[in-house]
Amino acid sequence: MSTPSDEDPVRSGALVWDVAVRFFHWALAALVIFCTMQDDGGQVHRAAGYAAAGVVVARLWWAACAKGHGSLAALKPSAAAAFAYVRAGAPRCMGHDPLGLWMVWLLWSLVLLLGLTGWMSRFDVFWGDERLQEVHAWLADALLVALAVHLLGICLMSWWWRENLSASMLNGRKRGPTA
């Protein structure tokens, strides 16, 4: 029989991310990867792009209904909190840290703007006008840069906190607050 101290701290840790949050996260990740690889602007790319925007909308709806770290209240970014967090030496957080909250909103905003510009590019009024396509391409590049920073942040904070943050987005659990 194992004692609590013998247990795996991740399996016995606190549930931070519910199934819906994790599903929306990985669905969006898969759709963004797909759209990046299949970037011909064809029907399949458009459908996946609309689905990605739909995942963001569904995640926002879930945040409005959810409680805990996945709730809309927990996703409120603050410049003051971000500066205080950095000044405090980036202490471990159970949910998103204050810098991570800004990244969440940046990624979601870029995906929604990509969906909007992709949808608008199908309007006759933009036929032959490449400015909208240039904006769409710029947003796609900005999303890739933001994703690279996001992944770098996950690696850095996983090392800093000595906790596998990617695993917590798979199983929903993190070490308890006293660990």
Side-chain angles (χ1 to χ4, degrees), residues 97 103 147-159 165:
D97 65 54
M103 183 56 74
L147 286 171
V149 171
H150 172 61
L151 294 172
L152 181 63
I154 290 168
C155 292
L156 179 64
M157 297 319 293
S158 289
W159 172 79
L165 296 177

Side-chain angles (χ1 to χ4, degrees), residues 4-87:
S5 62
D6 294 335
E7 292 179 14
D8 179 2
V10 172
R11 288 191 197 152
S12 63
L15 182 64
V16 176
W17 309 120
D18 61 43
V19 173
V21 168
R22 289 179 280 149
F23 171 78
F24 291 135
H25 177 274
W26 292 112
L28 183 59
L31 288 164
V32 167
I33 290 168
F34 180 83
C35 284
T36 300
M37 296 177 76
Q38 179 72 31
D39 66 349
D40 62 357
Q43 187 174 7
V44 174
H45 174 83
R46 288 193 314 270
Y50 298 149
V55 167
V56 172
V57 170
R59 175 60 179 95
L60 288 168
W61 173 82
W62 180 253
C65 300
K67 299 202 183 316
H69 295 288
S71 71
L72 207 50
L75 293 171
K76 184 179 176 187
S78 161
F83 287 122
Y85 175 75
V86 171
R87 279 193 303 271

